[in-house]
Amino acid sequence: MSGVETGRLRAVLDRTADRLLAATVLERIAIAIASTALALLLGLAIVAAAGYDPAQFATHLVVGAFGSESAVSRTLRFSTLFILTGVAVAVAFRAGVFNIGVQGQFIVGGIACVMSIVWLAPHLPDGPIGGLALLTIGTIAAVAAGGLYAAFPGVLKAYGGANEIITTIMLNFIAIGIVGWLVQGWFGAEDATSTRTERLPENVSLPRLVFDEPNFSIVGLVVTLATVAVVAVIIARTRFGYDMVTSGYQRSAATYSGVDARRTVVATMTFSGMVAGLAGAVFAVMIQGHYTDPGGVGNYGFDAIAVSLLAANNPVGVVPAGLLFGGLESAGSHVQFNSDVPVQLIDGIIGLVVLFVAAPELFRMAAKRAGIGGEDR
């Protein structure tokens, strides 16, 4: 590429970055909606090209996400987990730390919740009070386990210079392997015909309000939204949040003002892991009622990376992003069971929507870091 062409390309990138960096919140929402619509139109064209009925496919998408009470509860169930894990990722990304290990922290938190409840249940009274005590203990165990599992790569990064992307990815697979081994062996229920732990006691469950669905409770969604509010306040209104964000984007300035950057990295990772552990507890109590092979619990921690990027790593923005992902997941499940469209094509179209929606925010983040457009140009 000649120097002239390179200059033109850079000018186009600068103008595009200028526009995206200066976009207001409403403009960014409008971009996301337009990207979703464009991706869906392209997806329907692909469906038609593959020989299937695009109108029927579109109908299944809408019905699968919002077409009935069952569909709405399924969408909210997926959204609850995407929001919690998305917030966990956003906390770290916001501080310039790339916690790719939310999936592992989610798994460790879930098994810690289940096993602490199973072990302590015989020592506490039956009934609502005992159930509430066990639920509280299980949640605390999950939050602590997730936080500790995330603190480890934080310590390695802060005091050993280890790349947290590599260590957290490795810890994901270690969590899946070790927890899977424990569930198959030591933690496995003797009377189970499949790989799982003992079931949680009947008095340990979330109340069924609004939706009469066995795998979703509105209480889980309320806890999730409360967590989002707490995280947003901590980041925006507390000294810890200020130190965290400043260390991520202006490390030298933070150090000059007296912030211990190493300690902040460890605290940030721990905070992120605690939210992931809470997501694991909600998953175990609200959906499973026991714990099974972690290889089949879903990729909530991995998908949360896209949720967080779509929300520009804003904890509040994770809520609509999580709802979008929850709707897509719910719609995909419905289409898979109610049409003859291959699951690979469904996944590809959902992936296309995610790519189109996340691409503007990804470019915006990359431009800010690379100094393309804006004041850094």
Side-chain angles (χ1 to χ4, degrees):
M1 184 179 292
S2 68
V4 175
E5 291 173 332
T6 302
R8 288 176 179 170
L9 176 60
R10 176 57 191 252
V12 171
L13 289 174
D14 281 332
R15 283 197 298 273
T16 306
D18 274 337
R19 188 69 189 92
L20 288 175
L21 289 170
T24 63
V25 174
L26 289 177
E27 287 174 333
R28 286 159 63 187
I29 293 174
I31 292 172
I33 293 173
S35 300
T36 304
L38 182 60
L40 287 175
L41 286 175
L42 185 56
L44 293 178
I46 294 173
V47 168
Y52 300 97
D53 185 349
Q56 188 180 50
F57 183 82
T59 303
H60 279 311
L61 282 180
V62 176
V63 171
F66 310 107
S68 64
E69 180 179 323
S70 175
V72 172
S73 70
R74 188 172 60 240
T75 293
L76 293 178
R77 184 214 316 164
F78 287 127
S79 300
T80 298
L81 296 173
F82 283 131
I83 292 170
L84 272 178
T85 51
V87 169
V89 173
V91 165
F93 279 19
R94 188 87 168 174
V97 183
F98 293 92
N99 181 11
I100 312 298
V102 166
Q103 180 73 12
Q105 295 142 27
F106 170 81
I107 290 170
V108 169
I111 190 68
C113 173
V114 170
M115 294 315 300
S116 61
I117 292 175
V118 168
W119 285 335
L120 291 175
H123 306 290
L124 291 176
D126 296 331
I129 296 178
L132 182 61
L134 287 171
L135 194 57
T136 304
I137 292 171
T139 303
I140 293 173
V143 170
L148 287 173
Y149 203 64
F152 180 56
V155 170
L156 291 178
K157 174 182 174 62
Y159 298 98
N163 187 310
E164 78 275 21
I165 297 176
I166 296 174
T167 55
T168 51
I169 288 175
M170 292 173 64
L171 285 169
N172 281 333
F173 296 107
I174 291 172
I176 293 171
I178 290 181
V179 173
W181 174 68
L182 290 173
V183 172
Q184 289 180 358
W186 289 359
F187 295 169
E190 295 180 356
D191 60 340
T193 56
S194 59
T195 303
R196 65 166 175 83
T197 65
E198 292 184 27
R199 296 188 187 279
L200 297 179
E202 292 184 359
N203 60 339
V204 180
S205 62
L206 299 180
R208 306 300 172 197
L209 303 174
V210 183
F211 296 98
D212 187 23
E213 293 289 335
N215 296 323
F216 174 69
S217 170
I218 200 72
V219 176
L221 181 60
V222 170
V223 169
T224 296
L225 296 179
T227 303
V228 170
V230 170
V231 170
V233 169
I234 289 176
I235 290 179
R237 301 291 182 184
T238 67
R239 175 60 189 265
F240 170 67
Y242 175 81
D243 291 349
M244 202 172 67
V245 176
T246 306
S247 296
Y249 289 100
Q250 297 178 333
R251 187 165 186 167
S252 57
T255 303
Y256 182 76
S257 63
V259 176
D260 187 332
R262 291 178 175 177
R263 190 172 60 187
T264 302
V265 167
V266 178
T268 298
M269 285 294 291
T270 305
F271 187 26
S272 173
M274 289 169 67
V275 179
L278 176 61
V282 171
F283 172 77
V285 174
M286 187 178 78
I287 297 179
Q288 285 207 312
H290 56 265
Y291 214 81
T292 184
D293 182 357
V297 300
N299 295 321
Y300 298 103
F302 295 119
D303 293 339
I305 297 170
V307 174
S308 179
L309 290 175
L310 175 59
N313 301 324
N314 185 315
V316 177
V318 165
V319 175
L323 286 170
L324 173 63
F325 273 68
L328 289 173
E329 189 76 19
S330 176
S333 301
H334 180 83
V335 175
Q336 184 178 345
F337 288 109
N338 293 279
S339 75
D340 57 350
V341 179
V343 63
Q344 293 85 355
L345 185 56
I346 298 170
D347 290 342
I349 293 172
I350 291 176
L352 194 66
V353 174
V354 173
L355 177 65
F356 268 55
V357 173
E361 284 300 333
L362 277 174
F363 181 77
R364 187 173 176 275
M365 290 176 58
K368 184 181 288 187
R369 289 186 177 276
I372 301 173
E375 296 177 354
D376 295 332
R377 185 176 58 189

